[in-house]
Amino acid sequence: MEAVLKVEDINVYYGSIHAIKGISFEVNQGEIVTLIGANGAGKSTTLNTIAGLLNSHTGAIQFMGENLGKIAAHKIVSKGLALVPEGRRIFLQMTVQENLEMGAYTNRGDLREDIEKVYGYFPRLKERYKQIGGTLSGGEQQMLAMGRALMSRPKVIMLDEPSMGLAPILVEEIFNIIQNLHQSGTTILLVEQNAQAALSVADRGYVLETGKIVLSGTGAELLGAPEIKKAYLGG
Amino acid sequence: MKKIKWSKTTGKNTMTYGLVILAYVVLQLFGAAGLMSSSLKGMLIPICAYVAMAISLNLTVGVLGELSLGHAGFMSVGAFCGTSTAILLQNAVPSAPLRLAISLVMGALFAAVVGFLIGIPVLRLRGDYLAIVTLAFGEIIKSIFNNLYLGVDSHGLHVSLLSDRTNLAEGGSLIIGGPMGIGGIQKIATFTAGFVLIMVTLVVVFNLVNSRAGRAIMAIRDNRIAAESIGLNITKYKMMAFVTSAALAGAAGALFAMNYSTVVANKFDFNTSILVLVFVVLGGQGNMLGSIIAAAALTILPEALREYADYRMLVYAIILILVMLATNNPTLKSWLDRLKSGRRKAKEAI
Ligand SMILES: Nc1ncnc2c1ncn2[C@@H]1O[C@H](COP(=O)(O)OP(=O)(O)O)[C@@H](O)[C@H]1O
Ligand SMILES: [Mg+2]
């Protein structure tokens, strides 16, 4: 298989804090790969570094054979790598539809077709297309953030804790949508604290602890691994 | 491909243009009929300059969402560069309106360059830090013009800082004289020029706000992280708004200065920046019509209160407080909203 995204030996610092300590992993075409770990393990830092918002002192990040090292964050989206940041960052003062239109800012394709496609994944958004972002529920805001990222026609989409703070029923709905996206061929890098849910849908997973990858394997392998059961699955 | 309609507020913009044109026509008629007091007549040009200042600052504060406390600095750059241009062109361009127009453009250009240079460090900062640094830059610009000497003679332009070392040849003249500023200015600013400046300012601001870039600027204000995640070039769009705002303030400064025979750097100090900010906050952030009304009303008010000489600033301050209280009063607000929606319903019924 061919790796669309390849992270090699990156080190990221916040001032004197060494947040990411030389990690390497890869995401292959069409896969769901998950990065799990406790709060503060460095999951968001990893995604933000890939998206160009933070810099690595060492190593390289390859996306479709191209080194992203020196490329500015705003140019990375149009290359087909989209990030849905942690914490449902939507434009609170714009309507649902306007939020989606903003997502297509770097994509000059057929807007209407793309919007309909997003509404196909998220029927709840279609019902609320005129509603102001700030008045949506937490789950709907998460869906809108994901839908907006899809509007840039990404080849790889990175999701930072999409289930954070959502009721179990909504977590299930979000993960169903992630699987739908996967089935239609989107490559996904999923960051989660909810190890059970993430490993159930993932092809492969990596476990991050204080800035280092301590374990990796297929989703099923990791779900069955005793150290994972103990540390992340509550038994 | 379906075109995105970026504009939502065309109706309000049309009304703003309409009201400005109406005000201009009415004031012209009053003037022609001899119904205008000489003190009001003398204030028309400063009012126009302050209105343009308020609209331009509203672009930074209301649309970009960054608090700038140094807007008078750009006015100062425009005033000095624009007026110097007018003096240098006195013989080359005999037509006063043309000379005025060129001077305003030069004022805007210089202010834009200064805005760009200041924007590089300032726009990396956020919130309070940005406000404080813009305040500092406003003061730095004031100090520079207080210590700047510019002269012209047969050999060309001579510039010196701190003391007059221009060493002008026979027949040369000093244009900017440090703390003395520029003297002997030909008062070529006119009310009509002021009206045109306001209209141009509105056209520039409305077109920017309703463009693709404008949507990006407001998206950054709304949520910076989300804006980054959709691939917006944050620095570029912030700079676009900031430089446009500075350029418009520069043109306003040039117009303002050429209404007087002298201009000094101390006129464009922190107080002036705050005054313009008061117009923006009172008129409503992002609301250009509000800025226009607030700037005009609050420029006239101190003059209208002149009879009460000693109490004038006190009354002015109390009126400001009352207006702020009134416009922020929830009961009054909901009442106004009901009034507005009632009118809209009535319109729909027709
Ligand atoms: N802006 C920041 N400044 C300083 N330290 C930070 C910052 N953001 C994150 N960190 C630190 O880096 C480490 C990794 O954080 P993060 O990537 O957010 O973890 P996760 O997403 O896995 O919860 C943590 O120790 C956190 O405290
Ligand atoms: Mg995180």
Side-chain angles (χ1 to χ4, degrees):
Chain A
M1 258 191 287
E2 162 202 11
V4 274
L5 181 66
K6 199 166 179 185
V7 173
E8 283 172 285
D9 186 35
I10 57 168
N11 279 280
V12 186
Y13 295 81
Y14 292 103
S16 61
I17 301 172
H18 194 175
I20 299 295
K21 300 164 186 159
I23 66 171
S24 305
F25 64 92
E26 55 190 49
V27 181
N28 297 315
Q29 180 67 45
E31 273 187 321
I32 299 189
V33 171
T34 184
L35 217 55
I36 58 173
N39 199 7
K43 306 181 297 297
S44 298
T45 305
T46 305
L47 289 198
N48 289 339
T49 308
I50 297 171
L53 302 170
L54 296 168
N55 288 318
S56 168
H57 286 230
T58 57
I61 297 166
Q62 303 258 346
F63 177 62
M64 318 225 332
E66 185 178 6
N67 193 345
L68 294 184
K70 291 275 175 289
I71 297 175
H74 66 268
K75 291 194 181 132
I76 289 180
V77 178
S78 51
K79 293 194 179 292
L81 183 56
L83 169 66
V84 181
E86 186 177 280
R88 307 170 202 136
R89 309 290 181 155
I90 61 162
F91 300 116
L92 295 170
Q93 294 172 27
M94 296 184 192
T95 65
V96 167
Q97 181 115 358
E98 286 167 348
N99 263 277
L100 295 180
E101 287 170 2
M102 283 308 296
Y105 207 87
T106 55
N107 156 21
R108 304 299 186 111
D110 186 334
L111 192 65
R112 192 177 315 172
E113 191 184 292
D114 287 354
I115 287 183
E116 281 312 317
K117 210 164 147 194
V118 168
Y119 285 154
Y121 288 119
F122 305 96
R124 265 169 187 259
L125 293 183
K126 183 166 191 169
E127 291 161 24
R128 293 170 173 75
Y129 78 101
K130 263 187 154 172
Q131 201 170 321
I132 299 291
T135 64
L136 296 175
S137 75
E140 289 156 4
Q141 292 192 357
Q142 183 60 50
M143 292 176 195
L144 182 54
M146 288 167 66
R148 193 186 53 208
L150 289 174
M151 291 296 292
S152 67
R153 297 189 174 178
K155 300 195 180 77
V156 174
I157 185 165
M158 303 191 284
L159 304 171
D160 195 346
E161 295 207 37
S163 76
M164 187 160 78
L166 296 184
I169 178 112
L170 277 167
V171 174
E172 205 180 315
E173 197 173 333
I174 296 275
F175 274 88
N176 281 337
I177 294 166
I178 291 174
Q179 278 178 308
N180 289 344
L181 283 172
H182 179 223
Q183 268 150 27
S184 61
T186 315
T187 308
I188 300 169
L189 176 55
L190 171 66
V191 151
E192 265 299 341
Q193 275 194 64
N194 187 340
Q196 172 80 50
L199 291 174
S200 316
V201 298
D203 297 308
R204 292 187 302 112
Y206 296 87
V207 182
L208 204 58
E209 260 171 34
T210 56
K212 285 191 192 125
I213 289 178
V214 293
L215 207 60
S216 67
T218 65
E221 277 168 11
L222 290 176
L223 267 179
E227 48 275 63
I228 298 285
K229 274 197 175 142
K230 204 163 154 223
Y232 298 99
L233 306 175
Chain B
M1 175 189 167
K2 180 179 158 264
K3 280 277 276 211
I4 303 176
K5 210 168 144 273
W6 298 106
S7 155
K8 278 198 303 186
T9 51
T10 332
K12 177 143 198 212
N13 296 355
T14 315
M15 185 170 90
T16 307
Y17 289 127
L19 285 175
V20 170
I21 295 171
L22 183 72
Y24 171 72
V25 171
V26 167
L27 286 168
Q28 283 291 34
L29 289 177
F30 270 43
L35 290 171
M36 212 186 303
S37 70
S38 64
S39 79
L40 179 60
K41 233 180 217 165
M43 285 174 60
L44 288 177
I45 294 168
I47 289 173
C48 290
Y50 280 125
V51 165
M53 282 297 289
I55 299 169
S56 66
L57 182 61
N58 208 338
L59 182 58
T60 300
V61 175
V63 179
L64 179 61
E66 299 289 5
L67 184 57
S68 165
L69 297 179
H71 207 53
F74 301 125
M75 191 183 192
S76 186
V77 172
F80 280 92
C81 298
T83 311
S84 301
T85 306
I87 293 172
L88 290 169
L89 293 179
Q90 208 134 301
N91 298 320
V93 184
S95 155
L98 181 61
R99 189 154 23 103
L100 181 67
I102 296 173
S103 306
L104 258 58
V105 170
M106 286 305 281
L109 279 179
F110 273 92
V113 171
V114 173
F116 180 76
L117 294 177
I118 291 178
I120 295 171
V122 160
L123 295 177
R124 289 166 187 271
L125 304 169
R126 297 184 199 168
D128 304 344
Y129 297 101
L130 185 141
I132 291 165
V133 175
T134 52
L135 186 161
F137 273 113
E139 292 302 300
I140 289 172
I141 291 172
K142 190 180 81 180
S143 304
I144 289 176
F145 281 116
N146 262 327
N147 291 290
L148 179 73
Y149 295 82
L150 174 71
V152 63
D153 62 13
S154 47
H155 302 296
L157 284 176
H158 301 265
V159 184
S160 76
L161 272 174
L162 296 176
S163 64
D164 185 0
R165 280 175 275 111
T166 47
N167 291 326
L168 299 176
E170 194 72 19
S173 65
L174 196 63
I175 299 175
I176 304 178
M180 308 293 293
I182 305 180
I185 302 171
Q186 282 196 1
K187 298 192 212 171
I188 52 175
T190 60
F191 178 42
T192 303
F195 163 71
V196 172
L197 173 67
I198 294 175
M199 291 302 281
V200 169
T201 305
L202 282 176
V203 169
V204 169
V205 170
F206 283 153
N207 275 300
L208 178 60
V209 168
N210 290 329
S211 69
R212 212 176 119 77
R215 189 63 99 78
I217 292 167
M218 286 183 282
I220 294 167
R221 173 193 67 190
D222 204 347
N223 193 323
R224 188 194 154 91
I225 292 174
E228 248 167 1
S229 82
I230 58 168
L232 293 185
N233 185 344
I234 307 276
T235 318
K236 176 177 125 187
Y237 289 114
K238 279 186 151 186
M239 193 59 101
M240 198 185 274
F242 195 68
V243 168
T244 307
S245 167
L248 294 170
L255 179 89
F256 182 85
M258 280 180 277
N259 181 47
Y260 301 100
S261 53
T262 56
V263 55
V264 294
N266 285 345
K267 176 73 195 113
F268 310 104
D269 60 358
F270 179 57
N271 287 329
T272 307
S273 293
I274 292 296
L275 185 70
V276 179
L277 185 63
V278 166
F279 300 155
V280 172
V281 173
L282 265 186
Q285 294 180 35
N287 179 350
M288 300 304 158
L289 183 58
S291 286
I292 295 173
I293 295 170
L298 291 184
T299 311
I300 294 172
L301 193 62
E303 285 304 310
L305 293 171
R306 199 164 275 281
E307 305 177 35
Y308 309 103
D310 296 345
Y311 302 105
R312 147 172 109 107
M313 287 325 283
L314 182 65
V315 176
Y316 179 84
I318 289 174
I319 290 180
L320 266 186
I321 292 169
L322 288 179
V323 171
M324 264 336 256
L325 285 179
T327 49
N328 278 304
N329 182 319
T331 331
L332 197 75
K333 250 188 184 163
S334 68
W335 182 76
L336 275 174
D337 281 347
R338 243 181 296 141
L339 199 74
K340 263 189 232 159
S341 64
R343 232 190 287 153
R344 206 169 300 140
K345 271 190 205 117
K347 240 190 239 163
E348 277 161 15
I350 293 171

